Amino acid sequence: MTHIRRRDLLGVCGGAWLAGSARGAAAARVSVVRCPSYSGDVLAAVGGLFDQLGGVDRLAAGKTVAIKIDMSGSVRARNGFTPAWFTHWTHPAVIAAVAHHLSKAGAKRIRILESSQENDHPLEDNFLLGGWDPDQILKAAPNVEMENTGAMGGAHSYARLNVAGGGLIYPGFDFNHSYAECDVMVSLAKMKQSPDTGVALTMKNMLNAAPGTIYGDAAGFDGPSAKPFGALSMFRIGNRQPSSGSPPERDPESSRDPGYRLPRVNVDILRARPVHLAIVDGVETQTELEAPAEEGSALAPAHVRPGVLMAGFSPVSTDAIAMQAMGFDPMARRGQDPFLTCDNTLELAEAAGLGVRDPGKIEVAGARVDTIRFPFRGRR
Amino acid sequence: MPELIPFRWPAEWKDPSRLELLKGAPINCLVGATAPPIPQGELPFIRLDDKAATANIALRDGVWPAVQAATKKSGAAAGPTGDAWVDSNAWVIRLAHVMEPGKPVWVSYEAPVDNAGLGPAAFVKPVMEAEAFGGRWVMALNKTFREGLENRSDAAMSAWRRMMDAHRFFAARRAWREWRPAAVLGVISTFAGEGEAMSGEFLNLAPRRHLAYRAMLAAEAAKATFDGLKAIVYLENEAPKGELRDRLIAFAKSGGLLIGPKGIADVAGGKRVAEHTVASLGAGRVAIPLQPWDDPFTLVAQTHVLVGHREDVVRVWNASSTDTFPQLDAAGGKMVVHLVPYASAKTRSVTLGIGQRGRMARILRLEGETSARLMKGPLGIEVEIGDLENYAAVEVEL
């Protein structure tokens, strides 16, 4: 294993050193723009989104930027007939626009990342399987690359990311090298609900960065498997430990309740691999679930069009404003909607020093939240 | 002479009145181990174990087409992903056409004995599966179905009529039998000897990934056309020699991808892709495995990555455990894509993607034909098929 000490520093500082005073001052600012459809001028919308943050030049200039997108679920599954880009995956037009603007801001190299839970194909192939031409993204700027981080990828080993402060569940993780070999981490998520964690936004997006070869249902026991397959059930229910050689749980006797575990594992991942720029694609999405409903599911996701994009330097603050827009209270406790069966990840993240969740303490730049509010509950 | 449509006459049926069932049905031939003890009229009888009687038929053993739980097979047999195991006759039929060209292909099997409760409705799929891939199922009843027909139960009679309708459906579209596979990958092998299991399983698994292939016998491949192929995989442990090797090298040099064992071409260097070393050769590439192939499931997946999903002839969404078979007419102006789902439950909200432009499309099922809305997608066209039970075909004017 490669032990990246720079990551320890990142974890301790929460990444605040990276963008200097610009990031520090604007950490609790969240930018909001309207973007009614993906066929409109998404490039301009994302440009406006970044401008309202005060620009991303100081964040990206001369840096290697990793963008964790959301392609959760099977690459061959759709919610009804609707392509995944419109319901539960980050839309390629948004990914391309973000890459373009980060490149324009001086990024030296841009890596688009996602961890497949079903194959070790090049990420480009998974775009094609999903029905999209990856060239739109690869040609959005010079030096754009893709990597499927569900396995070891192009490296010879996994990168050890230690959790600052020791971790709530795990003291560290072994991730694909791309999560260590980046100066700037961007979480580009879809605006979604989650039965497990209430909402699935920029923080939850990072949970799915974990490689299935070590943390998936078909992970090896003696060491990582060659290929990823299956959900990250060990995060959810703690049914087993990661592959041998990767850090096990601190306390295997702790609660196995998904509502307890997932928010804490998520916070551990965010402390091990801090996010510097959080972006929410809420142009079109779906309600209820993070992926298409399985046969016989009582939940029926509806395809909806909130028509909004959001960004902030803090994933906690960005998710808090996104929750408000979705009609939820980021200050809600366990048992209150949408955290009916789980702890509030934002609360745990705030306690861990990852950002502010109280909307009253967050500066919203651009469209006011009350004008873009789009309640997710009750949509059919 | 009309094509023969065989029916395995139940040994229990000794009453001539049972022949009433065949009135108006397209069945025109009875088969079995011994001739029925009843007057058959003009219906010919063929003993399937009589080699002389079946000399003009490519007769193969088949399997009941269905999804099996992975736990019923060993982990290795089910593949490393834990995907559901599918029993399919698609590859047996398509390979039989290659091995014995010009002959009708029959697949013979009966319903699994450990599933006596299999209802009559389940017998429609075997008919449609075989016909979709250009073959014919030697229809055989299980006890439940036979007794249902004896009692003229609604379920049995309805299933029987649908089986007969399935034959009529394909008879009305006999032209499809002459259409060629729309393929990007040529699969060359002896399909015999040491490599038989590997090459056969490769053909079995490729359509599940919607990797469109055309099989060729190694002995004939030197003279075969490679038109339309983007890649060729030579599925033998030893590299070919002589004329075939020269042709394969020429294929790569002209821009194709040649995948084969060590020694298939003299290349040096290259980069590692999907557990193969890929080196340039002329305008094309040669991919040689880092280790000898030993797992067909892995090899099919690696081959698909090497060929590239950009080259996919078809893509399918919401249809796991479904085989596809795309065919082109002689002029290349029409394509038909056969879809056979192997799950017992309906497959919902299926969308088919075709990697090229099309002008109009229609969806054909046993229940009828509908025109399809063609949607332009980033990689070609998409067609909303809807629910998929036993079979559907999409015919597209390109």
Side-chain angles (χ1 to χ4, degrees):
Chain A
M1 299 294 171
T2 305
H3 295 262
I4 310 290
R5 292 302 173 197
R6 186 170 58 144
R7 300 275 74 79
D8 298 347
L9 180 64
L10 273 173
V12 169
C13 301
W17 61 274
L18 188 73
S21 59
R23 186 185 178 283
R29 178 188 295 171
V30 173
S31 170
V32 179
V33 297
R34 295 177 191 281
C35 185
S37 82
Y38 296 116
S39 55
D41 196 347
V42 177
L43 194 65
V46 172
L49 194 69
F50 289 169
D51 286 347
Q52 289 173 178
L53 278 179
V56 291
D57 306 49
R58 295 179 71 172
L59 185 73
K63 305 288 197 328
T64 293
V65 179
I67 305 174
K68 164 68 174 70
I69 60 171
D70 183 354
M71 289 175 68
S72 48
S74 166
V75 290
R76 288 194 171 103
R78 289 182 169 180
N79 184 356
F81 297 116
T82 311
W85 321 103
F86 298 99
T87 55
H88 56 286
W89 290 357
T90 320
H91 196 280
V94 178
I95 303 169
V98 168
H100 172 87
H101 284 290
L102 288 169
S103 174
K104 205 171 143 190
K108 182 176 66 180
R109 185 185 207 185
I110 295 170
R111 278 183 171 158
I112 311 297
L113 312 177
E114 174 57 308
S115 298
S116 169
Q117 292 179 5
E118 62 184 319
N119 64 47
D120 63 344
H121 293 160
L123 188 55
E124 292 90 331
D125 279 55
N126 281 347
F127 271 86
L128 290 161
L129 279 168
W132 200 274
D133 189 344
D135 279 357
Q136 181 188 355
I137 296 164
L138 293 168
K139 292 175 179 171
N143 303 324
V144 178
E145 308 165 0
M146 293 187 174
E147 179 144 29
N148 178 352
T149 52
M152 196 153 59
H156 296 294
S157 64
Y158 289 90
R160 175 69 47 85
L161 304 175
N162 290 313
V163 180
L168 299 169
I169 304 284
Y170 293 99
F173 300 91
D174 287 335
F175 272 31
N176 175 281
H177 68 104
S178 288
Y179 293 100
E181 294 169 5
C182 64
D183 304 303
V184 177
M185 186 72 232
V186 179
S187 176
L188 175 46
K190 199 79 165 178
M191 178 183 273
K192 289 186 289 191
Q193 292 170 266
S194 166
D196 283 329
T197 53
V199 290
L201 296 160
T202 68
M203 290 198 293
K204 180 70 186 293
N205 185 40
M206 291 304 294
L207 190 133
N208 292 327
T213 50
I214 297 171
Y215 302 99
D217 288 348
F221 284 92
D222 296 335
S225 58
K227 299 173 193 300
F229 189 79
L232 306 173
S233 299
M234 77 175 74
F235 284 173
R236 189 170 182 275
I237 55 173
N239 55 329
R240 54 163 288 191
Q241 295 300 315
S243 305
S244 177
S246 295
E249 288 180 47
R250 295 180 64 188
D251 178 10
E253 302 302 314
S254 63
S255 170
R256 305 288 98 177
D257 168 26
Y260 172 89
R261 290 179 59 81
L262 282 173
R264 284 166 177 79
V265 175
N266 201 165
V267 169
D268 285 346
I269 288 174
L270 288 164
R271 296 196 78 185
R273 176 54 278 178
V275 168
H276 306 106
L277 179 61
I279 306 170
V280 178
D281 169 5
V283 179
E284 295 183 39
T285 184
Q286 68 179 32
T287 59
E288 305 278 5
L289 296 169
E290 294 176 65
E294 291 179 8
E295 191 71 32
S297 168
L299 297 171
H303 178 201
V304 294
R305 297 176 175 81
V308 68
L309 291 166
M310 300 181 180
F313 294 120
S314 158
V316 184
S317 302
T318 307
D319 286 7
I321 298 305
M323 280 189 67
Q324 269 204 311
M326 296 166 77
F328 299 121
D329 178 8
M331 305 301 286
R333 306 298 305 270
R334 184 179 181 129
Q336 298 174 322
D337 200 22
F339 306 114
L340 297 174
T341 60
C342 59
D343 292 331
N344 179 344
T345 308
L346 286 79
E347 182 182 4
L348 293 167
E350 186 178 55
L354 293 172
V356 174
R357 68 173 166 133
D358 181 350
K361 296 175 182 172
I362 300 168
E363 176 195 351
V364 176
R368 291 204 326 268
V369 174
D370 60 334
T371 66
I372 50 104
R373 199 183 303 273
F374 188 93
F376 272 50
R377 281 278 183 243
R379 297 269 173 188
R380 285 287 182 270
Chain B
M1 182 182 168
E3 290 181 5
L4 293 177
I5 299 180
F7 173 54
R8 187 182 292 271
W9 188 260
E12 294 82 358
W13 284 2
K14 293 168 183 168
D15 180 347
S17 67
R18 297 288 176 212
L19 281 170
E20 285 288 311
L21 188 69
L22 305 188
K23 270 193 180 167
I27 290 169
N28 55 13
C29 159
L30 301 183
V31 300
T34 54
I38 53 170
Q40 294 162 223
E42 294 179 357
L43 281 175
F45 175 81
I46 297 176
R47 273 183 54 181
L48 293 181
D49 59 355
D50 180 346
K51 286 195 174 169
T54 59
N56 293 318
I57 298 165
L59 182 63
R60 298 289 186 275
D61 290 332
V63 290
W64 186 261
V67 169
Q68 288 192 13
T71 51
K72 286 191 178 177
K73 300 274 180 178
S74 72
T81 68
D83 279 348
W85 180 273
V86 173
D87 282 336
S88 156
N89 298 295
W91 72 278
V92 172
I93 295 167
R94 291 187 57 188
L95 182 58
H97 278 296
V98 174
M99 306 283 274
E100 300 183 62
K103 290 185 183 178
V105 177
W106 289 8
V107 279
S108 178
Y109 57 88
E110 297 185 39
V113 289
D114 60 348
N115 197 348
L118 204 66
F123 285 70
V124 180
K125 184 173 289 178
V127 175
M128 304 210 78
E129 188 224 20
E131 298 287 330
F133 296 105
R136 183 143 296 154
W137 178 44
V138 178
M139 288 179 284
L141 309 176
N142 68 353
K143 183 169 181 281
T144 307
F145 199 178
R146 176 174 52 78
E147 290 176 351
L149 289 174
E150 288 165 5
N151 301 326
R152 303 189 76 79
S153 78
D154 288 347
M157 293 307 293
S158 169
W160 180 258
R161 283 191 292 271
R162 282 171 61 79
M163 290 165 70
M164 300 306 112
D165 286 346
H167 278 292
R168 293 186 190 100
F169 175 94
F170 285 100
R173 294 160 183 87
R174 191 169 296 175
W176 285 346
R177 298 239 165 179
E178 307 304 321
W179 293 17
R180 62 199 152 101
V184 291
L185 175 70
V187 182
I188 299 176
S189 174
T190 58
F191 299 103
E194 279 185 9
E196 185 178 3
M198 171 69 86
S199 54
E201 193 60 12
F202 188 99
L203 299 188
N204 181 27
L205 294 170
R208 201 120 342 118
R209 298 184 57 92
H210 316 300
L211 174 56
Y213 74 85
R214 187 163 82 227
M216 289 174 267
L217 285 173
E220 298 167 2
K223 308 287 185 201
T225 176
F226 295 163
D227 286 356
L229 299 179
K230 303 283 185 185
I232 292 173
V233 58
Y234 183 77
L235 276 182
E236 292 292 328
N237 292 331
E238 301 294 328
K241 295 184 173 72
E243 191 183 0
L244 177 55
R245 184 172 186 268
D246 294 344
R247 264 225 67 210
L248 293 174
I249 289 171
F251 171 78
K253 283 183 174 173
S254 63
L257 167 66
L258 174 60
I259 307 165
K262 194 175 173 184
I264 197 160
D266 299 320
V267 288
K271 63 176 183 177
R272 181 175 166 164
V273 181
E275 299 304 311
H276 287 68
T277 301
V278 181
S280 296
L281 183 63
R285 297 172 297 152
V286 175
I288 295 170
L290 299 173
Q291 301 293 331
W293 298 317
D294 63 356
D295 175 10
F297 183 94
T298 302
L299 177 58
V300 174
Q302 291 168 348
T303 301
H304 207 164
V305 169
L306 289 166
V307 176
H309 287 85
R310 187 177 291 282
E311 304 295 345
D312 284 352
V313 174
V314 298
R315 297 177 176 84
V316 188
W317 292 280
N318 291 354
S320 58
S321 306
T322 295
D323 276 11
T324 51
F325 179 32
Q327 292 177 282
L328 283 167
D329 72 352
K334 279 187 181 177
M335 178 185 284
V336 63
V337 182
H338 306 271
L339 296 102
V340 178
Y342 288 89
S344 54
K346 262 186 190 173
T347 304
R348 308 253 176 217
S349 306
V350 176
T351 299
L352 173 72
I354 295 174
Q356 54 184 300
R357 299 297 173 204
R359 288 186 290 123
M360 54 189 295
R362 54 195 185 129
I363 302 167
L364 303 102
R365 305 170 196 269
L366 193 51
E367 296 77 15
E369 183 180 318
T370 52
S371 60
R373 189 161 62 98
L374 279 184
M375 291 164 296
K376 190 179 167 187
L379 300 167
I381 53 170
E382 294 185 6
V383 177
E384 292 175 1
I385 294 175
D387 294 350
L388 195 52
E389 190 167 7
N390 287 313
Y391 167 85
V394 177
E395 199 175 83
V396 186
E397 290 189 21
L398 303 169

